[in-house]
């Protein structure tokens, strides 16, 4: 479902990703962990081209993008659009559109980008709202909702594009602890339904419970990867050991 | 005459001074002005040197010095009084009120000996006999007298004798100009068919121009006199004596010949007999508001038309400019930025002149209404573009990222996500500009548009009721802008999305 080959990304002279390779099967839930500034978020943002990689190749559900240049031609833009339609993204700061109601937030992209008829988009939106437990908030405005509710709407909004892959960029970091669970519950449900997903998070309990595989990022490379039992139980790499010890003590 | 050129802003400024003076800020002078002049050693004479040739104007060779037949005459009169002459610059159509405010001792600037003028001030013996001259383009035929001008577009100076004559004869499509130079320009640009002006002005400005000609002989002679405050009786006597002596020793003829304005008519100056002028009751326009308010409202309609259309241009062009500046190709971005900086960094007045008088030179001839809307609209577009830019840049980048991540194109994210939020943010500053536009639009009177402030100016200078008319005019402006402000508040409330 996802294939990444030797992905390299720098900001000016500062290299953030040193050639990442990654393969992911359909239905697999992968969690990225690692210290701050290790490149996890940048990796995620390269996958749906919010950042353009310097070099390397990304394939998601059969759509392939070569790194190295900003999409300029019509064909390149279409490739980019196809990639983004396949990869839904949830941000740390929700980024709901404050001028639209919850329902409008969800149906905006399907109608504008994919040309889905209004009623059909609305029906799907209400279905998704029910799924995230907010069916009675369709007419509310984002700023009338709690952070947890907003993030659940953001998940529904991404799902409305019917993506093949979901990317979560620290989805609970901006939330008070008591609001995190409602978001994590929705994510867990998605994983159980077989959604292919990559999650950048600091929630170690969550990573342990739901990840099929964990990638430990350090210094712009995948230092270690494996099932949660290996990473948390018997880490092989020195840096992984240290990181796990540190987060376990919190 | 008048060769004066007016900016409505300066006019408003003067009116403000008048309001203040009405509150008793001017002390009453008991001393004799003639004595005062002699003690001071200078005779202060009020005139308008802007566009003032050949009366009084900066010497083209030495622009820091004034010349002109009235300048030389003022020196000659001052010499007779044993003092030096010093010119005080004042807008021409405000000379009489300024004299009453004691800004200077006399008016010496083509002031006609008319009953209207003699209502408020005393006038000396005449020092010059002027007449009206029709000026046309070289190739024009058959426009040699007033009757021929019926149905034609004719340029005249605001507040001039020519304007009064044409209004009396009727039938001509009158265009009112702030200065004669402008009317001659429009004559050459074929916006008008003829211009009527005082002969000396025509001699100086139109005669040397190969594209123009004098059509028919000059007509409707009249007298220029020196304006003096009514209470300054000794000064009046002294000035009359000076004029008489200057005529007798042919100093007048020498001065007039020097400036090419001498003609045989001047010989009959000495035959002038002063006539008693009947006192007219002063007019209270507020008491007679049914007569004046409709005239003002008529101007107000023009103001609304100009403001609304100009703002429409500004709002749309401003949006295009900001989109190009933020999202266009680099050379276009630079162009949009340059547009904003150049428009903001130059006066609106000059932009209007360039559009109205400059563009015809490269073959683009807009009528005054279109030029006004284009000028105001393009000017405000720069300011709206900046408003939009602030609004767009206030929208967090995460909004664009979220839209892009959902598969929207750059334009779709702008159209559906960023602009709808940014436009809400800019409602207050844009409304502010709209209200400012109502007031700024008065500046288009310089390109012959007659709008509210211009109507006020014309009525005020003929009735001298600055306060009554001023209150009515201010009231109309307020009645226009306050609803706009209420509407903006309502819109802002309606479009709010952060209600909790």
């Amino acid at each position: 479902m996802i294939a990444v080959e030797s992905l390299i990304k720098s900001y000016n002279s500062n290299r953030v990703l040193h050639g990442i390779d990654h393969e992911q099967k359909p239905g697999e839930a992968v969690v990225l962990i690692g210290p701050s500034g290790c490149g996890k978020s940048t990796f995620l943002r390269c996958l749906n081209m919010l950042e353009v990689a310097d070099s390397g190749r990304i394939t998601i559900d059969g759509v392939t993008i070569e790194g190295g240049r900003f999409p300029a031609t019509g064909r390149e833009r279409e490739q980019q659009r196809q990639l983004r339609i396949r990869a839904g993204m949830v941000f740390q700061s929700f980024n709901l559109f404050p001028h639209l109601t919850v329902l409008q937030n969800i149906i905006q992209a399907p109608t504008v980008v994919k040309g889905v008829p209004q009623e059909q988009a609305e029906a799907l939106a209400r279905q998704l709202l029910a799924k995230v437990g907010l069916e009675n908030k369709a007419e509310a405005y984002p700023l009338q909702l709690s952070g947890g509710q907003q993030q659940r709407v953001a998940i529904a909004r991404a799902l409305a594009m019917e993506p093949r892959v979901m990317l979560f960029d620290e989805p609970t970091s901006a939330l008070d602890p008591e609001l995190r669970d409602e978001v994590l519950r929705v994510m867990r449900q998605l994983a159980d339904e077989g959604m292919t997903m990559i999650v950048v998070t600091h929630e170690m309990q969550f990573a342990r419970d739901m990840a099929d595989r964990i990638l430990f990022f350090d210094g712009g490379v995948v230092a270690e990867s494996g099932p949660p039992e290996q990473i948390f139980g018997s880490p092989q790499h020195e840096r992984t050991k240290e990181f796990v010890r540190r987060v376990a003590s919190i | 005459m008048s060769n004066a050129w007016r900016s409505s802003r300066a006019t408003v400024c003067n009116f403000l001074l008048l309001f203040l003076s009405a509150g008793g800020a001017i002390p009453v002078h008991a001393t004799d002005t003639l004595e005062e002049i002699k003690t001071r050693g200078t005779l202060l004479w009020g005139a308008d040197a802007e566009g003032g040739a050949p009366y009084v104007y900066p010497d083209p060779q030495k622009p820091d010095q004034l010349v002109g037949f009235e300048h030389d005459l003022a020196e000659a009169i001052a010499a007779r009084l044993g003092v030096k002459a010093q010119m005080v610059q004042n807008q021409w159509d405000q000379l009489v009120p300024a004299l009453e405010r004691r800004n200077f001792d006399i008016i010496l600037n083509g002031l006609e000996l008319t009953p209207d003028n003699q209502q408020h001030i005393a006038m000396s013996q005449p020092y010059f006999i002027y007449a009206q001259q029709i000026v046309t383009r070289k190739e024009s035929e058959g426009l040699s007298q007033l009757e021929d001008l019926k149905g034609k577009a004719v340029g005249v100076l605001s507040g001039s004798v020519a304007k009064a004559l044409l209004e009396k004869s009727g039938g001509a499509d009158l265009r009112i100009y702030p200065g004669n130079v402008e009317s001659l320009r429009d004559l050459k640009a074929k916006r008008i068919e003829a211009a009527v002006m005082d002969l000396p002005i025509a001699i100086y400005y139109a005669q040397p121009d190969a594209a123009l000609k004098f059509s028919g002989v000059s007509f409707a002679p009249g007298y220029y006199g020196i304006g003096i405050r009514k209470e300054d009786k000794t000064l009046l006597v002294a000035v009359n004596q000076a004029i008489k002596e200057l005529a007798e020793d042919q100093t007048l003829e020498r001065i007039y010949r020097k400036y090419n304005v001498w003609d045989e008519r001047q010989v009959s100056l000495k035959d002038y007999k002063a006539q008693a002028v009947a006192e007219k009751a002063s007019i209270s326009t507020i008491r007679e508001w049914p007569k004046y308010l409709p005239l003002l409202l008529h101007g107000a309609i023009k103001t609304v038309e100009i403001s609304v259309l100009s703002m429409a241009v500004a709002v749309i062009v401003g949006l295009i400019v900001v989109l190009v500046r933020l999202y266009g190709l680099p050379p276009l971005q630079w162009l949009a930025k340059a547009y904003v900086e150049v428009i903001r960094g130059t006066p609106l007045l000059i932009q209007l002149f360039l559009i109205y008088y400059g563009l015809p030179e490269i073959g683009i001839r807009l009528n005054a209404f279109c030029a006004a809307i284009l000028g105001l609209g393009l000017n405000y577009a720069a300011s709206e573009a900046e408003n939009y830019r602030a609004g767009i840049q206030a929208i967090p980048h995460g909004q664009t990222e979220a839209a892009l991540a959902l598969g929207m194109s750059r334009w779709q994210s702008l159209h559906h996500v960023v602009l709808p939020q940014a436009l809400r943010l800019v409602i207050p500053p844009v409304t502010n500009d709209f209200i400012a536009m109502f007031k700024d639009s008065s500046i288009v009177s310089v390109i012959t548009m007659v709008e509210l402030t211009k109507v006020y100016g014309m009525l005020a200078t003929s009735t001298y009721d600055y306060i009554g008319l001023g209150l009515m005019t201010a009231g109309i402006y307020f009645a226009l802008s306050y609803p706009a402000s209420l509407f903006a508040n309502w819109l802002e409330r309606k479009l709010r999305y952060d209600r909790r």
Side-chain angles (χ1 to χ4, degrees):
Chain A
M1 181 62 72
I2 303 176
V4 179
E5 294 165 51
S6 20
L7 192 70
I8 292 177
K9 172 69 184 173
S10 314
Y11 293 112
N12 301 322
S13 60
N14 179 23
R15 181 161 287 190
V16 185
L17 297 177
H18 295 263
I20 308 282
D21 294 295
H22 174 67
E23 286 273 348
Q24 192 169 342
K25 297 194 296 287
E28 198 180 5
V30 169
V31 172
L32 310 187
I33 61 170
S36 301
C38 65
K40 325 181 281 285
S41 284
T42 305
F43 176 68
L44 209 62
R45 290 165 61 82
C46 282
L47 290 185
N48 73 347
M49 298 193 74
L50 286 180
E51 309 287 347
V52 177
D54 302 344
S55 68
R57 175 183 294 173
I58 299 163
T59 306
I60 294 178
D61 191 33
V63 179
T64 300
I65 297 283
E66 303 279 349
R69 61 186 256 118
F70 197 82
T73 66
R75 206 191 137 269
E76 284 170 330
R77 285 213 201 91
E78 177 57 22
Q79 284 289 100
Q80 182 186 46
R81 197 174 73 98
Q82 289 299 335
L83 187 84
R84 284 174 172 167
I85 288 174
R86 282 165 173 73
M89 180 120 178
V90 175
F91 299 86
Q92 180 178 345
S93 51
F94 331 135
N95 295 345
L96 290 181
F97 307 137
H99 62 298
L100 301 178
T101 62
V102 164
L103 191 73
Q104 288 166 337
N105 259 279
I106 298 173
I107 65 174
Q108 178 94 78
T111 52
V112 169
V113 179
K114 297 209 296 193
V116 175
Q118 184 84 11
E119 303 86 64
Q120 198 182 323
E122 238 181 88
L124 175 62
R126 290 191 191 279
Q127 220 174 305
L128 290 169
L129 278 177
K131 185 184 180 117
V132 299
L134 291 171
E135 58 270 57
N136 57 344
K137 294 290 185 188
E139 307 310 324
Y141 281 86
L143 295 178
Q144 296 169 314
L145 303 181
S146 73
Q149 290 171 327
Q150 288 193 51
Q151 193 62 299
R152 284 187 279 155
V153 172
I155 294 172
R157 180 175 69 173
L159 290 173
M161 290 298 284
E162 301 181 303
R164 309 301 306 271
V165 173
M166 281 289 280
L167 310 173
F168 292 88
D169 189 3
E170 305 200 23
T172 56
S173 299
L175 295 175
D176 293 337
E178 69 270 22
L179 297 176
R180 287 179 186 164
D181 279 343
E182 61 189 65
V183 174
L184 294 176
R185 207 175 312 125
V186 170
M187 292 168 64
R188 200 166 284 140
Q189 186 191 344
L190 270 182
D192 291 344
E193 288 168 5
M195 174 60 79
T196 310
M197 47 205 271
I198 302 182
V199 183
V200 173
T201 187
H202 296 290
E203 301 278 343
M204 293 305 147
Q205 188 57 46
F206 172 78
R208 198 191 297 254
D209 290 353
M210 67 148 278
D212 295 315
R213 185 151 50 111
I214 289 181
L215 305 187
F216 174 66
F217 266 65
D218 188 55
V221 295
V222 180
E224 185 169 350
S225 87
E229 306 80 55
Q230 177 198 322
I231 299 291
F232 289 107
S234 53
Q236 308 296 303
H237 197 280
E238 206 45 49
R239 299 278 296 162
T240 322
K241 279 182 197 161
E242 192 190 324
F243 179 78
V244 169
R245 199 166 50 240
R246 200 147 37 86
V247 295
S249 69
I250 296 172
Chain B
M1 71 160 185
S2 236
N3 40 358
W5 121 273
R6 313 191 286 182
S7 113
S8 41
R9 263 175 210 220
T11 312
V12 170
C13 222
N14 269 11
F15 294 163
L16 207 75
L17 285 174
L18 275 158
F19 277 121
L20 294 174
S21 69
I26 308 298
V28 179
H29 285 244
T31 52
D32 184 80
T33 304
L34 183 60
E35 287 307 313
E36 203 183 305
I37 291 167
K38 289 190 168 158
T39 322
R40 198 197 296 136
T42 47
L43 171 69
L44 299 176
W45 59 290
D48 188 349
E50 195 167 356
Y55 298 74
V56 48
Y57 57 104
D59 187 345
Q61 261 75 50
K62 289 184 218 142
D64 58 332
Q65 286 177 20
L66 292 173
V67 290
F69 73 87
E70 289 183 339
H71 169 265
D72 290 11
L73 179 59
E75 307 251 287
I77 291 173
R80 294 266 159 190
L81 299 179
V83 294
K84 288 197 174 341
Q86 191 186 340
M87 194 270 233
V88 177
Q89 169 65 34
N90 198 96
Q91 229 171 211
W92 190 80
D93 62 353
Q94 299 300 321
L95 281 170
V96 172
L99 177 73
E100 290 175 318
R101 293 190 67 246
R102 310 189 73 90
N103 286 6
F104 34 76
D105 306 315
I106 61 170
I107 300 169
L108 204 178
N109 202 202
L111 199 62
E112 297 95 349
L113 268 169
T114 57
D116 258 2
N117 281 333
Q118 283 164 295
Q119 278 295 309
H120 299 270
I121 53 173
M123 300 281 295
S124 73
Q125 288 290 310
Y127 61 86
F128 188 81
I129 298 180
Y130 66 92
Q132 300 300 312
Q133 179 63 53
I134 299 174
V135 179
T136 63
R137 286 186 294 278
K138 201 96 204 158
E139 69 277 10
S140 296
E141 298 285 347
L143 299 177
S144 54
Q145 45 190 340
L146 271 189
E147 290 72 57
D148 301 335
L149 301 179
K150 285 199 187 355
K152 299 281 193 285
V154 181
V156 292
L157 188 71
S158 165
S160 65
V161 169
K163 173 170 172 274
L165 282 173
L166 278 157
E167 275 171 351
K168 217 166 106 191
S169 75
D173 172 12
L174 278 193
R175 306 286 166 85
I176 319 291
Y177 287 85
N180 282 303
V181 184
E182 285 80 9
S183 71
L184 291 174
R185 260 178 182 282
D186 268 9
L187 180 57
K188 287 200 279 182
K190 302 189 179 166
R191 283 195 180 108
I192 54 176
E193 290 307 306
V196 183
M197 59 189 68
D198 288 9
L199 186 56
I201 304 169
I203 289 173
Y204 187 86
Y205 287 106
Q207 211 166 41
D209 195 322
L212 301 175
K213 70 171 178 192
F214 283 10
S215 193
V217 294
S218 55
F219 59 97
Y223 299 101
Y224 289 152
I226 292 172
I228 295 170
R229 284 182 293 272
K230 280 190 170 164
E231 66 269 24
D232 294 339
K233 300 221 159 55
T234 51
L235 180 60
L236 180 64
V237 171
V239 166
N240 279 339
Q241 182 61 29
I243 293 172
K244 185 160 169 272
E245 289 169 18
L246 291 170
E248 279 164 2
D249 71 4
Q250 300 192 335
T251 308
L252 280 187
E253 183 174 347
R254 216 182 53 245
I255 292 173
Y256 296 162
R257 281 190 189 282
K258 177 177 163 193
Y259 290 96
N260 195 25
V261 294
W262 174 264
D263 57 24
E264 285 312 310
R265 280 200 188 93
Q266 309 305 333
V267 177
S268 56
L269 266 177
K270 60 181 183 314
D271 305 333
Y272 175 80
K273 290 277 178 296
Q275 288 162 358
V277 179
E279 285 280 336
K280 270 198 281 182
S282 71
I283 300 166
S284 164
T285 56
I286 291 222
R287 209 164 296 145
E288 293 183 45
W289 66 267
K291 202 160 102 198
Y292 291 96
L293 195 59
L295 294 173
L296 290 170
L297 287 176
H298 198 75
I301 291 172
K302 253 299 166 290
T303 291
V304 171
E305 279 176 16
I306 293 169
S307 307
V308 170
L309 290 173
S310 301
M311 203 61 199
V313 170
V315 163
I316 294 165
V317 174
L319 187 60
I320 295 169
V321 168
V322 80
L323 290 180
V324 169
R325 175 162 182 185
L326 293 179
Y327 307 104
L329 296 171
L332 294 177
Q333 278 187 14
W334 185 87
L335 214 64
K337 189 162 185 274
Y339 175 82
V340 170
E341 294 303 334
V342 169
I343 295 281
R344 279 202 308 193
T346 53
L348 174 56
L349 191 63
I350 296 192
Q351 292 162 11
L352 282 172
F353 276 166
L354 285 176
I355 288 172
Y356 190 67
Y357 295 116
L359 287 186
E361 312 220 329
I362 57 167
I364 303 169
R365 195 163 299 132
L366 299 168
N367 64 34
F369 188 69
C370 289
I373 284 164
L374 196 68
L376 280 172
L378 292 183
N379 181 278
Y380 270 62
S383 152
E384 297 330 306
E386 287 299 278
N387 283 339
Y388 293 143
R389 191 163 69 94
I392 287 172
Q393 289 177 342
I395 306 301
H397 190 56
Q399 291 288 309
T400 307
E401 286 199 336
L404 294 178
L406 285 165
M408 289 191 207
S409 66
R410 190 107 220 148
W411 167 245
Q412 284 170 336
S413 70
L414 207 58
H415 171 59
H416 294 289
V417 176
V418 176
L419 289 184
Q421 296 181 54
L423 291 181
R424 285 167 168 82
L425 286 181
V426 302
I427 289 171
V430 170
T431 317
N432 218 10
D433 279 358
F434 185 46
I435 290 168
M437 173 80 89
F438 275 124
K439 296 170 283 172
D440 268 8
S441 64
S442 64
I443 202 173
V444 301
S445 64
V446 301
I447 55 170
T448 75
M449 286 307 299
V450 178
E451 44 61 69
L452 182 50
T453 297
K454 182 71 174 177
V455 172
Y456 164 62
M458 295 194 306
L459 292 177
T461 45
S462 60
T463 62
Y464 284 88
D465 184 12
Y466 291 97
I467 294 171
L469 285 164
L471 290 175
M472 277 193 266
T473 307
I476 293 174
Y477 271 115
F478 184 74
L480 292 178
S481 51
Y482 189 57
S485 158
L486 288 180
F487 174 73
N489 286 347
W490 172 82
L491 194 65
E492 214 181 321
R493 250 192 337 269
K494 188 178 148 61
L495 293 178
R496 272 183 67 164
Y497 47 73
D498 56 348
R499 4 173 203 217
R500 286 172 189 267

